[in-house]
Amino acid sequence: MSVDVKNAEGYKAWLKYDLVTSQENIREISRWCSRIVHLVDTRIVQAAKEELTRAISIMIGEEPQIASETVTSNHIRLATSEQLNVDEFPEIRKINEEGYLIKTVKHEEGSYILLAGKSDKGVLYATFHLLRLIQAEHSLDNLDIVESPRNQIRMINQWDNMDGSVERGYAGESIFYKDDDFIRDYDRIKDYARLLSSVGINAISINNVNVHAVETSLITTFLPDVAKVADVFRTYGITTYLSANYASPMELGDLTTADPLDEGVKAWWKDKVKEVYSYISDFGGFVVKADSEHRPGPFTYGRNHADGSNMLAEALEPFGGIVIWRCFVYNCMQDWRDRSTDRARAAYDHFKPLDGQFHNNVILQIKNGPMDFQVREPVSPLFGAMRDTNQMIEFQVAQEYTGQQRHVCFLIPQWKEILDFDTYAKGQGSTVKSIVDGSMYESKLSGIAAVSNIGNDTNWCGHQLAQANLFGYGRLIWDPNLSNEDIVDEWARATFGNNSAVIENISAMLLSSWQIYESYTAPLGVGWMVNPNHHYGPNVDGYEYSVWGTYHFADWQGIGVDRTVTSGTGYTSQYFEENMKYYESLKTCPDELLLFFHHVPYTHLLKSGETVIQHIYNTHFEGVDQAIALKEKWEALQQAIDEERFHSVNERLEEQIENAKEWRDMINTYFYRKSGIKDKENRVIY
């Protein structure tokens, strides 16, 4: 990796520590941060010391002194609960194993800022939190912060292939692999680990869930390399997982079957897991995609998902490992023209009957919606439906269906809506976030995972503003009660500084961007209207398996998918009663999901007062205008942002405008010709 890349402004992301120009701020930082005392000295605490030293040296131009014993002068003190007087700091009893205290402690014999955790991980997380406060010019004189992560597993799923490509990756090639081998650029992997740890992410799977022949060898030939990567992440409190090929006993061994009930298969996996742990003692376990989109799985042998996952769980259990079993299972070759066939039903239909049959070290990873990371779809009904099964939610930070990091689309508002959604699984207040944090059903395992959006582009994410999704994902899953505004403000200040105009414009751009993207793309809950395979740009009938028709069922009379119990696929029955009734009725179904649940005439009147067809026309014209306004807001900041990042974002915004126009023209033309109904505003539709 060239020095130029690492010194680029975009590369530094939100760990961009700038020289402080205010003399008053320099004096305050110097007063508290010129000395670092560590009362514990693990590798993770060493990483915390290194981060503090790096940041403070840059910000005030002076490297802090390091000591392992208390001093009488002001300092930052790093400690775990073992080094604290619990009576003096009773808050330490309230935090969990990864929680922390940040506290300004004032004594006559010497004052200090305490960064303390139950464990050394807490110390590291407290370190990054303190540095965010300093970046935001927050006063250090009276800090009193007590935090614990709400979610147990806070995971990133890399979809990297060993040939160097990244499936659904929009930011260059892999930072891990190239030409069917490891790159071994541990400096860049370390910087990635720093970014992840700084927002509280504690787990990573380092290869694509679609495990090809070469990647299957990660659990054999390449184990020494996996171990080296795991060692880098371990230093930052991040546990390493691998995506596993279910057919590994056949591809790597001499077996002729991968039947999960076959004794030879069970023995093979037990031996293989033992070998993996001999290299990586704290290996997290396997992420598995099985029996979906042509991936091998237990269905081949007449077995179910509980059979398949439990076999792996038994092999991992002696070592404390877990199986993360993805619920993205459906028949991709089914005939979509048959309106009794509904992909939205698939996950629930496959997994709900198996509730209670999974081992305690199996956790089901469920996509946030029943389809596939669309710009708008309902929450998966599987959340809350399995009372006796560990569950975690899966988001996609990579913008596969939301602009592919060529369009700005800040996804935190979408994820907050999903986490706040009331499933009614145990009555009112049964939110998704209380299911995936394990509190509702007292689950042994729980958490949140997401598909990463990084690659080897200079600024990690292709689009500088797409970094806000990675940052925001980590902050949201640490504390789902954080507001969209607070997350944006934190990221913008850490990334661009504290210029009020910059913060105001970037915040406005990000907070409106999801709605803008939705406006000029998919209306009222209709998804998939993208080009096949690469999923970028408009194609109204463009789903991959287009030989089987479309997802919107538009004809000359109307549009939408009837998923009701009364007359459709019956999908609404998968929700608990309150939500079933809510979506079943045209009177109560929200406009933004209308066409996901109902087939209606183009003249159907929305709650907004518009007809469906007029809504389509209006939003697509308005979306283009709003995309143009995004660029205008950005251009107003040219004098306040460095040239590198300004021009990079400006180019992306220009592309977004042109693409929005293409969406507008193609979608409006399609539905004008389909419906024969003119735009009431008499705008040009070809």
Side-chain angles (χ1 to χ4, degrees), residues 266-483:
K266 291 181 181 180
W268 187 92
W269 275 109
K270 287 178 180 177
D271 288 343
K272 180 52 59 182
V273 166
K274 184 177 180 180
E275 181 185 3
V276 172
Y277 278 92
S278 72
Y279 283 89
I280 311 164
S281 60
D282 59 349
F283 180 65
F286 296 125
V287 178
V288 182
K289 176 180 178 178
D291 291 314
S292 187
E293 297 182 326
H294 312 297
R295 302 310 303 158
F299 284 2
T300 302
Y301 310 99
R303 315 302 185 191
N304 62 37
H305 291 286
D307 296 328
S309 59
N310 289 344
M311 179 270 294
L312 291 173
E314 289 171 6
L316 288 160
E317 194 276 333
F319 303 93
I322 68 174
V323 178
I324 299 174
W325 193 269
R326 297 179 84 239
C327 294
F328 185 58
V329 176
Y330 72 103
N331 178 5
C332 62
M333 299 308 294
Q334 62 192 5
D335 188 344
W336 306 112
R337 295 170 299 184
D338 179 355
R339 299 197 183 195
S340 66
T341 298
D342 188 358
R343 170 173 168 176
R345 294 183 57 103
Y348 188 101
D349 286 345
H350 280 301
F351 287 93
K352 168 62 176 173
L354 301 177
D355 188 25
Q357 298 181 34
F358 295 90
H359 285 355
N360 284 337
N361 61 325
V362 174
I363 182 168
L364 299 186
Q365 183 167 300
I366 306 165
K367 286 192 177 184
N368 60 261
M371 305 302 270
D372 191 10
F373 303 129
Q374 299 300 296
V375 68
R376 177 79 68 172
E377 59 182 298
V379 171
S380 170
L382 204 51
F383 291 113
M386 303 182 72
R387 295 171 180 264
D388 299 312
T389 303
N390 299 319
Q391 300 175 60
M392 66 191 298
I393 195 169
E394 180 181 4
F395 294 128
Q396 190 182 49
V397 186
Q399 296 170 228
E400 180 178 356
Y401 295 101
T402 52
Q404 301 193 358
Q405 289 152 237
R406 290 185 257 186
H407 298 219
V408 56
C409 187
F410 184 58
L411 294 169
I412 309 308
Q414 181 194 60
W415 300 336
K416 274 190 69 66
E417 281 190 13
I418 292 162
L419 292 173
D420 289 339
F421 179 78
D422 196 341
T423 67
Y424 292 93
K426 291 178 69 176
Q428 190 171 7
S430 303
T431 57
V432 170
K433 63 187 174 188
S434 65
I435 295 166
V436 300
D437 71 11
S439 62
M440 182 181 294
Y441 295 134
E442 298 182 354
S443 306
K444 179 183 177 182
L445 297 171
S446 60
I448 299 180
V451 182
S452 174
N453 68 343
I454 71 105
N456 68 355
D457 279 2
T458 300
N459 67 9
W460 298 96
C461 298
H463 199 311
Q464 177 72 40
L465 299 186
Q467 289 182 1
N469 282 327
L470 183 59
F471 176 93
Y473 166 71
R475 295 294 291 128
L476 180 66
I477 66 174
W478 177 278
D479 181 3
N481 293 323
L482 284 172
S483 71

Side-chain angles (χ1 to χ4, degrees), residues 491-504:
W491 176 77
R493 291 182 186 279
T495 306
F496 291 102
N498 296 291
N499 181 302
S500 58
V502 172
I503 302 303
E504 181 179 345

Side-chain angles (χ1 to χ4, degrees), residues 60 96 235 670:
I60 66 173
N96 62 29
T235 302
Y670 179 96

Side-chain angles (χ1 to χ4, degrees), residues 531 537-538 624 657-667:
N531 284 302
V624 172
I657 291 168
E658 293 308 307
N659 199 232
K661 291 176 181 177
E662 184 183 7
W663 272 97
R664 176 199 64 195
D665 295 342
M666 187 172 289
I667 300 299

